[in-house]
């Protein structure tokens, strides 16, 4: 397989070297040749010793050729090696091949048509989107990685059936008034579908902890790029509305009926494509977020705990206070995970390990308060779907925090080992997915759809 990769890379390099001499017709022929090489690469053989020579002859052209084919071979160790070697000097953005763009356009259109189903079928939009908003994005992200990772037919069939069963199930759930179990199922089902994206991203396996952590990093980068695209789309929409309003034309109807249903699902799909094909796109943002906000998060948690003690605020009978408490806890947990999974250089330093350990310990104390408050509410007012779901989530978070803190203290007492800490995070991800599946699929039955 590595020989096939370097053979394909060598041929693409030779094609790229003559790009400036080609006419538009020749460029089309080049793309056709590259596509043909991609199909026959498994049967190709070559000597990889020529790779370094080609690189030294024309580093710029070699770099462009490598990153053009890298998304198809990112699972190879040698491809990862060359990516690390070349990515520091890579400034251009690649949009992949014609097949990539065609796939992107098709899935964005299909996602938009799914979002338009209430309009086509006369359904209530709020009810439809409550149950189906995740199906406008997550199945298409899964399909993208199924395609890029070349999953087997059986693996693809399993993922398809998972999404189909989930869609049928969530739309058949009955509504008994203000159903808490329906709300919980709609909230937890996206996490179950997200596991399908992770499974496809990891190449059809859950056993490789490093791939799980790469997927966490990918999600962080995806959020950053999606936020940028969303802000740009919002600015473009506002300017468009203002310009047309000056001439007496209102675009609200066009926005609500066409731009929003097709544009909003397309943003995370486009962001996924950009991050996957351009790993260097936001490589500096994640470390900056981790370095800046981790100390601030530690300060916030400590001050919050001290303030709660000195003010005598009782969280046990105040539901709104408990909800904010859990939001703060989840935010801290997300920051710990993000810091450990994206910042390989900083996390190896003793100072950074100490800072994360302090944040982990403070979060454990915070989790303890939240857990005791939930248990108090259950003992006073009984079991409900919401209280049971929150209790289970807090127990999982507390367990994961303890494991992370244990690995951090081991890193402090022995040689710093960030990989062990990050592996403790990756190994726990399936547990969250299992709990989400229990809440989504079993709680409605256990609590009689109330």
């Amino acid at each position: 397989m590595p020989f096939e990769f370097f053979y394909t890379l060598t041929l693409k390099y030779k094609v790229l070297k003559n790009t400036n001499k080609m006419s538009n017709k020749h460029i089309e022929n080049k793309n056709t040749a590259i596509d043909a090489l991609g199909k026959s690469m498994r049967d190709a053989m070559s000597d990889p010793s020529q790779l370094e020579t080609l690189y030294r002859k024309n580093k710029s052209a070699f770099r462009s050729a490598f990153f053009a084919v890298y998304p198809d071979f990112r699972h190879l160790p040698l491809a990862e090696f060359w990516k690390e070697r070349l990515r520091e000097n890579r400034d251009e953005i690649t949009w992949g091949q014609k097949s990539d763009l065609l796939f992107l356009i098709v899935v964005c259109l299909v996602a938009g048509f799914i979002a338009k189903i209430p309009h086509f079928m006369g359904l209530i939009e709020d009810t439809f989107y409550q149950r189906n908003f995740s199906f406008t994005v997550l199945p298409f992200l899964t399909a993208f990685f199924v395609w890029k990772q070349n999953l087997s037919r059986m693996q693809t069939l399993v993922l398809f059936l998972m999404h189909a069963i989930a869609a049928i199930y969530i739309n058949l759930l009955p509504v008994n008034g203000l159903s808490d179990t329906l709300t919980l199922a709609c909230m937890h089902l996206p996490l179950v579908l997200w596991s399908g994206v992770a499974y496809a991203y990891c190449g059809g396996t859950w056993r490789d902890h490093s791939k799980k952590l790469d997927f966490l990093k990918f999600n962080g980068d995806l959020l950053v790029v999606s936020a940028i695209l969303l802000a740009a789309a919002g600015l473009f929409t506002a300017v468009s509305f203002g310009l047309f309003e000056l001439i007496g034309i209102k675009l609200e109807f066009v926005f609500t009926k066409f731009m929003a249903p097709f544009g909003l699902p397309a943003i995370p799909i486009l962001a996924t494509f950009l991050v996957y094909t351009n790993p260097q796109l936001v490589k500096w943002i994640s470390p900056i977020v981790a370095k800046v906000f981790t100390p601030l998060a530690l300060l916030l948690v400590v001050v919050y705990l001290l303030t709660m003690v000195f003010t005598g605020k009782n969280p046990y009978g105040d539901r709104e206070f408990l909800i904010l408490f859990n939001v703060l806890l989840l935010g801290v947990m997300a920051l710990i995970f993000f810091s450990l999974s994206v910042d390989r250089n900083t996390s190896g330093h003793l100072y950074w390990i100490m800072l994360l350990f302090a944040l982990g310990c403070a979060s454990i104390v915070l989790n303890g308060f939240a857990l005791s408050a939930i248990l108090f509410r259950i003992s006073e007012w009984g079991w409900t779907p919401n209280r049971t779901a929150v209790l289970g989530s807090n127990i999982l978070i507390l367990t994961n925090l303890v494991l992370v803190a244990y690995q951090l203290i081991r890193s402090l007492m022995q040689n710093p080992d960030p990989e062990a800490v990050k592996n403790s995070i990756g190994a726990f991800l399936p547990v969250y997915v299992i709990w989400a599946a229990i809440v989504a699929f079993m709680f409605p039955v256990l609590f009689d759809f109330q």
Side-chain angles (χ1 to χ4, degrees), residues 231-398:
L235 179 61
F236 175 81
T237 302
V239 172
S240 300
F241 278 24
L243 288 175
F244 278 90
E245 192 170 353
L246 290 175
I247 57 176
I249 299 176
K250 295 185 179 296
L251 295 179
E252 283 79 2
F253 176 82
V254 177
F255 176 80
T256 56
K257 296 299 181 181
F258 297 100
M259 294 177 65
F262 283 91
L264 293 179
I267 287 177
I269 297 174
L270 176 60
T272 297
F273 175 80
L274 289 174
V275 173
Y276 187 83
T277 55
N278 300 274
Q280 86 292 351
L281 196 60
V282 289
K283 64 180 180 180
W284 295 115
I285 298 179
S286 297
I288 291 174
V289 171
K291 291 178 181 179
V292 172
F293 285 97
T294 297
L296 293 177
L298 175 60
L299 179 63
L300 173 62
V301 172
V302 172
V303 171
Y304 186 79
L305 288 171
L306 293 175
T307 303
M308 185 178 62
V309 172
F310 284 109
T311 58
K313 180 65 176 178
N314 180 14
Y316 294 89
D318 191 335
R319 181 180 180 183
E320 286 72 21
F321 185 86
L322 186 58
I323 292 175
L324 292 176
F325 212 76
N326 291 329
V327 170
L328 176 61
L329 175 64
L330 292 174
V332 171
M333 280 294 300
L335 184 58
I336 292 177
F337 289 174
F338 187 70
S339 301
L340 288 170
S341 62
V342 301
D343 199 341
R344 298 186 177 184
N345 294 326
T346 308
S347 61
H349 295 303
L350 185 62
Y351 164 76
W352 192 249
I353 298 295
M354 292 176 62
L355 187 65
L356 292 176
F357 176 70
L359 182 57
C361 291
S363 300
I364 290 174
V365 175
L366 191 63
N367 196 327
F369 276 103
L371 193 58
S372 63
I374 295 168
L375 291 173
F376 173 80
R377 293 180 63 83
I378 291 175
S379 64
E380 287 293 320
W381 298 291
W383 294 87
T384 65
N386 286 331
R387 291 170 195 155
T388 307
V390 174
L391 174 63
S393 300
N394 273 267
I395 291 175
L396 292 182
I397 293 174
L398 178 60

Side-chain angles (χ1 to χ4, degrees), residues 197-256:
V197 181
Y199 180 78
Y201 180 94
C202 295
T205 179
W206 272 107
R207 297 181 179 180
D208 192 334
H209 295 332
S210 62
K211 289 184 178 179
K212 296 176 190 175
L213 294 172
D214 286 341
F215 181 67
L216 285 179
K217 180 184 181 301
F218 168 81
N219 277 265
D221 295 343
L222 176 62
L223 289 175
V224 171
V225 177
S226 296
I228 294 173
L229 292 177
L230 184 61
L235 179 61
F236 175 81
T237 302
V239 172
S240 300
F241 278 24
L243 288 175
F244 278 90
E245 192 170 353
L246 290 175
I247 57 176
I249 299 176
K250 295 185 179 296
L251 295 179
E252 283 79 2
F253 176 82
V254 177
F255 176 80
T256 56

Side-chain angles (χ1 to χ4, degrees), residues 44-351:
M45 296 292 290
S46 182
D47 182 5
S49 62
Q50 301 178 11
L51 202 60
E52 184 67 25
T53 301
L54 292 172
Y55 172 70
R56 294 184 179 182
K57 285 182 179 180
N58 192 332
K59 294 182 179 181
S60 177
F62 181 89
R63 187 179 298 112
S64 299
F66 172 80
F67 282 107
V69 300
Y70 168 75
D72 295 330
F73 302 95
R74 60 189 296 152
H75 60 283
L76 295 179
L78 288 175
E80 287 295 314
F81 165 78
W82 277 98
K83 184 198 75 171
E84 294 295 329
R85 180 176 179 181
L86 298 174
R87 68 175 181 174
E88 294 300 325
N89 297 319
R90 184 189 175 200
D91 297 322
E92 67 275 9
I93 301 298
T94 177
W95 289 92
Q97 302 177 18
K98 285 184 177 180
S99 58
D100 298 330
L101 295 177
L102 179 61
F103 179 87
L104 183 66
I105 294 172
V106 170
V107 296
C108 287
L109 289 175
V110 175
F113 279 112
I114 292 178
K116 288 284 292 179
I117 286 178
H119 175 72
F120 296 145
M121 302 183 64
L123 303 176
I124 301 175
E125 292 188 355
D126 292 343
T127 301
F128 176 84
Y129 290 130
Q130 179 191 20
R131 297 174 184 248
N132 298 283
F133 74 93
S134 57
F135 293 102
T136 63
V137 175
L138 295 178
F140 303 103
L141 302 189
T142 302
F144 176 79
F145 291 120
V146 166
W147 179 43
K148 283 299 183 181
Q149 297 291 0
N150 294 317
L151 265 61
S152 66
R153 291 183 179 179
M154 181 57 66
Q155 292 170 325
T156 303
L157 178 61
V158 170
L159 290 172
F160 172 79
L161 290 176
M162 182 187 76
H163 286 83
I165 293 172
I168 295 172
Y169 165 79
I170 198 66
N171 284 284
L172 290 180
L173 276 181
V175 179
N176 293 335
L178 298 176
S179 176
D180 290 334
T181 56
L182 175 61
T183 302
L184 288 172
C186 294
M187 292 173 58
H188 286 78
L189 189 61
L191 182 57
V192 179
L193 299 181
W194 176 78
S195 71
V197 181
Y199 180 78
Y201 180 94
C202 295
T205 179
W206 272 107
R207 297 181 179 180
D208 192 334
H209 295 332
S210 62
K211 289 184 178 179
K212 296 176 190 175
L213 294 172
D214 286 341
F215 181 67
L216 285 179
K217 180 184 181 301
F218 168 81
N219 277 265
D221 295 343
L222 176 62
L223 289 175
V224 171
V225 177
S226 296
I228 294 173
L229 292 177
L230 184 61
L235 179 61
F236 175 81
T237 302
V239 172
S240 300
F241 278 24
L243 288 175
F244 278 90
E245 192 170 353
L246 290 175
I247 57 176
I249 299 176
K250 295 185 179 296
L251 295 179
E252 283 79 2
F253 176 82
V254 177
F255 176 80
T256 56
K257 296 299 181 181
F258 297 100
M259 294 177 65
F262 283 91
L264 293 179
I267 287 177
I269 297 174
L270 176 60
T272 297
F273 175 80
L274 289 174
V275 173
Y276 187 83
T277 55
N278 300 274
Q280 86 292 351
L281 196 60
V282 289
K283 64 180 180 180
W284 295 115
I285 298 179
S286 297
I288 291 174
V289 171
K291 291 178 181 179
V292 172
F293 285 97
T294 297
L296 293 177
L298 175 60
L299 179 63
L300 173 62
V301 172
V302 172
V303 171
Y304 186 79
L305 288 171
L306 293 175
T307 303
M308 185 178 62
V309 172
F310 284 109
T311 58
K313 180 65 176 178
N314 180 14
Y316 294 89
D318 191 335
R319 181 180 180 183
E320 286 72 21
F321 185 86
L322 186 58
I323 292 175
L324 292 176
F325 212 76
N326 291 329
V327 170
L328 176 61
L329 175 64
L330 292 174
V332 171
M333 280 294 300
L335 184 58
I336 292 177
F337 289 174
F338 187 70
S339 301
L340 288 170
S341 62
V342 301
D343 199 341
R344 298 186 177 184
N345 294 326
T346 308
S347 61
H349 295 303
L350 185 62
Y351 164 76

